[in-house]
């Protein structure tokens, strides 16, 4: 079978990976020299802990398994099963963590509620004051800025894989015909459009104006090396307000009795933090849903995140060396992991994983391959 994949972010690259693994001939087309969207501008987290129970959790756990297997073959991915800690303060936050540990699927996630001493034994960099910490053993991480490069380097070892960067797809017709802006036509048995947050133009023409996917903008930052290991990913209790796994009466009580600080509420914030291979910290994030998005980054969210991180580390944050904004596509139906739609004969659009893209991409692509009979 011949497969054309449009888009070289993590979702597109994982579709190419599964197709090559199954013995198919693959052409992957990317409009940039390399993907530069949300697949690079994220935490690199394989984030199981906060996923909604059911299909979303199953996809995350399957993806976690696939990431580990691929990471064993491609060490440059930087895969590491580092787990995560969410320190909590006071009885309201503690009650939300206790409700999470009481979930029927807590064991599948690897949830444990740790004392401060147990948490610091696991991650000695957390020297700040907190009441307890929710541990998720199944969380993991990769290096987002280089993961696609590492995967592509492995794919290029196969004679069945061709990468065509710097080409924008102009037309897609039935029977798997794709025409790019170089005037070349590519014929395949199946075409998968993994266009990320690019939802206009050709995507709108093919999928129609009522695509159930929205764009979300975020702000993040990265520091100089911390100077010591941050052995787990770290979240704060505001992540309880963001991720569906933490929905509970205890969370309702937290929201009612102790709302977020003004800056965090205004920017729909949570703290997520991962240490990079060079020792720096990737820290975020904000969520902006209303169009048109701002074209600049604003400083108040960074000030808020700095204060939260320093309170958990019990020390000053290293110098911030990068700040950036990113945009990802998110299904408007919260019950769907991704939007998968046949838009033409032999042509499928796969988009809208939202903040699940890096986590779930291997499982999303595997599901596409299975459903299309690759």
């Amino acid at each position: 079978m011949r497969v054309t994949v449009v888009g070289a972010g993590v979702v597109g690259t994982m579709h190419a990976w599964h197709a090559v693994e199954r013995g198919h001939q693959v052409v992957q087309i990317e409009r940039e020299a390399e993907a530069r969207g949300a697949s690079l501008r994220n935490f690199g987290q394989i984030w199981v802990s906060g996923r909604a129970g059911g299909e979303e959790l199953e996809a995350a756990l399957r993806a976690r398994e696939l990431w580990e297997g691929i990471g064993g073959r491609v060490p440059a991915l930087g895969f590491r099963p580092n787990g995560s800690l969410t320190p909590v303060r006071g009885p309201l936050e503690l009650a939300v963590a206790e409700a999470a540990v009481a979930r029927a699927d807590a064991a599948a996630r690897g949830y444990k509620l740790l004392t401060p001493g147990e948490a610091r034994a696991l991650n000695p960099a957390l020297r700040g004051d907190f009441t307890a910490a929710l541990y998720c053993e199944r969380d993991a991480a990769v290096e987002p800025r280089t993961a696609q490069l590492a995967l592509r380097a492995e794919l290029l070892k196969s004679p069945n894989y061709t990468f065509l960067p710097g080409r924008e797809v102009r037309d897609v017709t039935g029977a798997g015909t794709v025409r790019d802006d170089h005037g070349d036509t590519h014929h395949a048995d199946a075409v998968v459009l993994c266009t990320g947050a690019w939802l206009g133009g050709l995507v709108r023409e093919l999928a129609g104006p009522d695509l159930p996917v929205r764009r979300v903008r975020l702000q993040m930052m990265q520091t100089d090396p911390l100077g010591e290991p941050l052995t787990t990913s770290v979240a704060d209790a505001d992540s309880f307000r963001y991720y569906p796994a933490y929905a509970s009466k205890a969370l309702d009580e937290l929201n009612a009795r102790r709302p977020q600080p003004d800056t965090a509420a205004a920017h729909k914030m949570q703290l997520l933090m991962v240490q990079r291979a060079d020792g720096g910290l990737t820290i975020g994030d904000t969520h902006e849903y209303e169009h048109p998005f701002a074209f600049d980054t604003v400083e108040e969210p960074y000030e808020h995140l700095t204060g939260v991180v320093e309170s958990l580390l019990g020390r000053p944050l290293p110098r911030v060396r990068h700040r950036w904004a990113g945009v990802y596509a998110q299904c408007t139906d919260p019950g769907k992991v991704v939007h998968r739609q046949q838009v033409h004969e032999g042509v499928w659009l796969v988009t809208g994983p939202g903040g699940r893209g890096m986590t779930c991409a291997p499982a999303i692509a595997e599901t596409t391959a299975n459903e299309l009979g690759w």
Side-chain angles (χ1 to χ4, degrees):
M1 177 182 287
R2 297 168 302 169
V3 178
T4 298
V5 177
V6 179
V10 67
V11 174
T13 301
M14 282 298 178
H15 278 82
W17 179 274
H18 279 285
V20 169
E21 285 290 286
R22 298 179 186 209
H24 305 308
Q25 293 182 329
V26 177
V27 173
Q28 186 174 20
I29 303 172
E30 166 57 40
R31 61 179 178 169
E32 303 276 3
E34 286 288 348
R36 297 177 59 82
S39 295
L40 278 72
R41 307 181 197 192
N42 66 75
F43 298 95
Q45 287 179 315
I46 317 305
W47 195 244
V48 173
S49 49
R51 301 300 169 202
E55 180 184 353
E56 185 175 329
L57 177 59
E58 291 171 5
L61 288 170
R62 175 56 179 159
R64 166 66 168 75
E65 180 182 358
L66 291 167
W67 272 119
E68 186 166 13
I70 297 169
R73 290 176 51 185
V74 187
L77 279 178
F79 175 85
R80 51 199 183 275
N82 61 338
S84 73
L85 285 169
T86 304
V88 299
R89 291 171 171 146
L92 293 173
E93 293 181 0
L94 177 60
V96 181
E98 289 172 337
V101 172
R103 289 181 59 103
D105 56 17
R109 301 170 190 266
Y111 277 162
K112 293 180 183 178
L113 193 59
L114 305 183
T115 67
E118 291 170 333
R120 292 189 186 101
L122 192 61
N123 191 339
L126 296 175
R127 299 185 181 91
D129 293 329
F130 51 91
T131 305
L134 179 64
Y135 175 57
C136 181
E137 181 269 338
R138 297 304 293 161
D139 288 337
V142 296
E143 291 300 298
R145 295 187 179 224
T146 57
Q148 273 65 251
L149 297 175
L151 289 168
R152 185 158 304 110
E154 188 69 17
L155 283 167
L156 286 168
K157 296 177 182 179
S158 169
N160 289 337
Y161 176 76
T162 301
F163 180 54
L164 299 177
R167 296 178 182 236
E168 187 167 322
V169 171
R170 293 298 194 188
D171 190 33
V172 178
T173 62
T177 300
V178 171
R179 181 176 60 83
D180 66 32
D181 61 356
H182 288 214
D184 292 335
T185 300
H186 311 274
H187 300 283
D189 302 294
V191 176
V192 184
L193 304 174
C194 302
T195 56
W198 178 39
L199 303 176
L202 181 61
V203 173
R204 183 180 291 113
E205 291 177 14
L206 290 169
D210 300 320
L211 187 67
V213 178
R214 65 178 176 178
R215 299 170 81 237
V216 181
R217 182 180 183 269
L218 53 83
Q219 287 186 201
M220 296 174 60
M221 63 181 176
Q222 188 164 328
T223 73
D224 281 343
L226 181 62
E228 63 179 319
L230 187 77
T231 55
T232 69
S233 298
V234 176
D236 74 344
D238 277 345
S239 67
F240 292 160
R241 309 176 199 263
Y242 183 75
Y243 286 105
Y246 305 118
S248 63
K249 291 182 180 179
L251 179 60
D252 295 341
E253 185 76 3
L254 173 65
N255 287 328
R257 293 180 56 188
R258 206 177 77 198
Q260 287 183 291
D262 290 345
T263 296
H267 294 277
K268 301 175 178 61
M269 296 181 67
Q270 61 176 337
L271 168 71
L272 297 178
M273 178 168 60
V274 184
Q275 190 168 46
R276 298 273 65 92
D278 70 353
L281 304 176
T282 299
I283 300 170
D285 60 351
T286 65
H287 300 88
E288 184 180 354
Y289 302 101
E290 299 300 323
H291 291 244
F293 292 143
F295 61 84
D296 49 5
T297 59
V298 293
E299 195 62 23
E300 290 83 359
Y302 294 117
E303 294 171 350
H304 170 79
L305 289 169
T306 297
V308 174
V309 172
E310 290 183 346
S311 74
L312 293 175
L313 296 180
R315 54 168 285 184
L317 192 67
R319 182 182 71 97
V320 175
R321 62 181 179 185
H322 299 299
R323 303 175 193 266
W324 68 90
V327 177
Y328 60 73
Q330 181 184 64
C331 290
T332 54
D333 181 351
K336 293 182 66 175
V337 174
V338 73
H339 178 71
R340 188 181 288 104
Q341 175 184 351
Q342 185 171 0
V343 296
H344 218 305
E345 180 186 356
V347 182
W348 285 262
L349 173 66
V350 183
T351 188
R356 298 174 287 244
M358 203 68 175
T359 295
C360 292
I364 289 169
E366 182 182 60
T367 298
T368 301
N370 291 340
E371 291 185 358
L372 272 55
W374 292 1

